[in-house]
Amino acid sequence: MQAAQRPPAEMRVILVCALLSPLSLARACPKECSCNSNNKVVDCRGRGLYDIPRRLHPETQELYLQDNRIRGIGSMAFREIPLVRTLDLSNNSITSISPTALLGLRTLQRLSLAHNSLRELDKRLLVPIHSLSHLDLSHNSLGGLPGAMGDSLKNLSYLGLAHNRLTRLDRSLMEAMTLLDGLTLRGNPWRCDCQLIGLKLWLETYVFKGGVMDEVLCFQPEEMKNKDLQKVPYELFHACMATSYHYLFANIHHLESERLLRGHTHGNHANPSIHALHVPMAMGEGFGGGGGGAGGGMTECEPKQKQRPVNLRHAIATVIITGVVCGIVCLMMLAAAVYGCAYAAIMAKYQRELKKNEELAAAQGADHATADDKEPLENAIA
């Protein structure tokens, strides 16, 4: 009976491994860091490190390396911790990152490189990561983001780009981030020219769908300095008015198509197949990324349609007002033409009557002169 109650050998092995796992994590902790074996967190903040610490436990899920003196990250620098989910490298002196530095981190969700000295990012840096949802690149010296990086950012729900040296962003790069619902862009020297119209339209669509962001203040040209790009009327882009209106009405058409699609979805509740097709799409777009809104549309149970961006309404109102003004001007010109013709006719009639009166007066004067000449002659004969 005692032998029957003894647990099997496999169960004893599993029990021993479970008891020794926290101990092994504690023993694998680098001397420069402090480790929590319960939640698998390694804290190396403010330790004056110049490099990534070695002998990290492979089960580490969170690694904090901010407030150190790290200047560069080499190839496969985190190969010892393939299960890490949060990696914080903020407030260091990082100037370069190897394109293969993050190779093997397939479960990474949050990456912070804020407050460093990065000038550029290689387009291959984030390729091996498919689960990244939070990326903070603020307070660096980035002059742009590679357009080819869009596929690596498609699952982002937050992107921090504040206080860099960005003058423009590729619209195709932003459109790839369909789950984005948090964005910071302030503190960059934005050049508000024709090449930024694409970003302006994307921002209006992004805000229309419920996305949250700060502001994009123009730095150049001088006449637009310190103006919020979202509030700059399209009429101020003099050099590219045709292009801007093309983008504007294309964007309006796109939003109108989405509205009609949502209305079509609401009208097909009686058809189970159509309802099953559209509802998961709305749910995925509305709630994916933690708050949703920046996906492809609004949710099924939204109580009312959100207002269009102010700039869209202003642009449409400007077109309508311009048409009304042009119509009024045309009417005034027509009235002036009618008045001119009437005035010319009256003056012509007046001139004819005046000339006729002058001829009549001249004829009467001639008759009087003839009569005066006859009287002296008759007196002389008498």
Side-chain angles (χ1 to χ4, degrees), residues 176-240:
M177 296 180 282
T178 56
L179 301 179
L180 194 68
D181 56 22
L183 178 65
T184 59
L185 295 172
R186 68 170 62 198
N188 286 282
W190 300 104
R191 182 174 180 82
C192 297
D193 55 11
C194 297
Q195 297 187 24
L196 211 62
I197 292 181
L199 176 62
K200 175 179 173 64
L201 286 169
W202 180 88
L203 289 175
E204 291 175 350
T205 305
Y206 170 73
V207 174
F208 174 80
K209 292 180 178 180
V212 178
M213 61 167 296
D214 45 13
E215 59 186 358
V216 177
L217 295 182
C218 299
F219 186 77
Q220 292 179 322
E222 188 64 28
E223 58 269 19
M224 294 189 188
K225 191 170 184 178
N226 294 327
K227 291 184 178 180
D228 191 344
L229 178 63
Q230 295 186 82
K231 299 178 182 178
V232 173
Y234 285 90
E235 291 82 355
L236 294 184
F237 293 91
H238 300 292
C240 44

Side-chain angles (χ1 to χ4, degrees), residues 216-274:
V216 177
L217 295 182
C218 299
F219 186 77
Q220 292 179 322
E222 188 64 28
E223 58 269 19
M224 294 189 188
K225 191 170 184 178
N226 294 327
K227 291 184 178 180
D228 191 344
L229 178 63
Q230 295 186 82
K231 299 178 182 178
V232 173
Y234 285 90
E235 291 82 355
L236 294 184
F237 293 91
H238 300 292
C240 44
M241 285 294 290
T243 305
S244 66
Y245 277 108
H246 171 74
Y247 280 128
L248 172 64
F249 290 111
N251 199 53
I252 294 175
H253 177 72
H254 172 68
L255 296 177
E256 187 66 19
S257 300
E258 287 191 348
R259 186 185 67 81
L260 293 176
L261 179 61
R262 288 193 297 272
H264 176 73
T265 304
H266 281 289
N268 284 279
H269 286 291
N271 191 331
S273 61
I274 297 178

Side-chain angles (χ1 to χ4, degrees), residues 22-140:
L23 296 177
S24 62
L25 181 60
R27 290 177 182 176
C29 184
K31 62 180 181 179
E32 306 93 349
C33 310
S34 60
C35 303
N36 189 325
S37 57
N38 294 326
N39 51 20
K40 300 177 183 179
V41 174
V42 179
D43 190 347
C44 306
R45 291 178 290 182
R47 304 300 175 92
L49 300 178
Y50 288 92
D51 201 356
I52 308 300
R54 301 299 180 185
R55 295 181 291 106
L56 292 168
H57 196 276
E59 294 184 4
T60 300
Q61 294 187 1
E62 297 182 20
L63 177 59
Y64 298 99
L65 290 166
Q66 59 264 47
D67 303 319
N68 282 291
R69 302 176 184 178
I70 302 173
R71 295 184 178 181
I73 302 177
S75 177
M76 298 188 68
F78 305 98
R79 59 183 176 273
E80 295 180 349
I81 49 173
L83 302 179
V84 68
R85 296 180 181 178
T86 300
L87 179 58
D88 195 332
L89 290 160
S90 60
N91 200 21
N92 278 278
S93 303
I94 301 174
T95 57
S96 63
I97 301 178
S98 171
T100 58
L102 305 178
L103 193 63
L105 305 185
R106 297 183 178 274
T107 61
L108 186 63
Q109 297 177 359
R110 301 175 66 89
L111 174 62
S112 178
L113 292 166
H115 292 275
N116 280 288
S117 302
L118 293 171
R119 293 182 177 272
E120 60 180 0
L121 290 180
D122 192 281
K123 63 181 180 181
R124 298 168 291 175
L125 179 64
L126 302 176
V127 169
I129 306 173
H130 302 288
S131 56
L132 192 64
S133 62
H134 182 106
L135 178 61
D136 192 353
L137 299 171
S138 58
H139 293 274
N140 277 282

Side-chain angles (χ1 to χ4, degrees), residues 295-310:
M298 291 183 288
T299 60
E300 284 285 322
C301 53
E302 181 142 0
K304 61 181 180 179
Q305 182 179 358
K306 297 178 182 178
Q307 292 183 345
R308 289 184 175 181
V310 177

Side-chain angles (χ1 to χ4, degrees), residues 317-378:
T318 302
V319 173
I320 295 174
I321 293 173
T322 302
V324 173
V325 171
C326 290
I328 294 174
V329 171
C330 292
L331 291 176
M332 293 178 64
M333 292 176 64
L334 180 62
V338 173
Y339 175 79
C341 292
Y343 180 79
I346 294 173
M347 290 301 297
K349 182 178 180 181
Y350 173 77
Q351 292 293 334
R352 289 196 300 270
E353 291 179 356
L354 182 63
K355 185 175 181 180
K356 184 177 180 181
N357 292 335
E358 289 177 352
E359 291 176 354
L360 182 61
Q364 291 178 355
D367 293 338
H368 286 299
T370 303
D372 292 338
D373 291 339
K374 287 181 178 181
E375 286 182 2
L377 181 62
E378 290 175 354

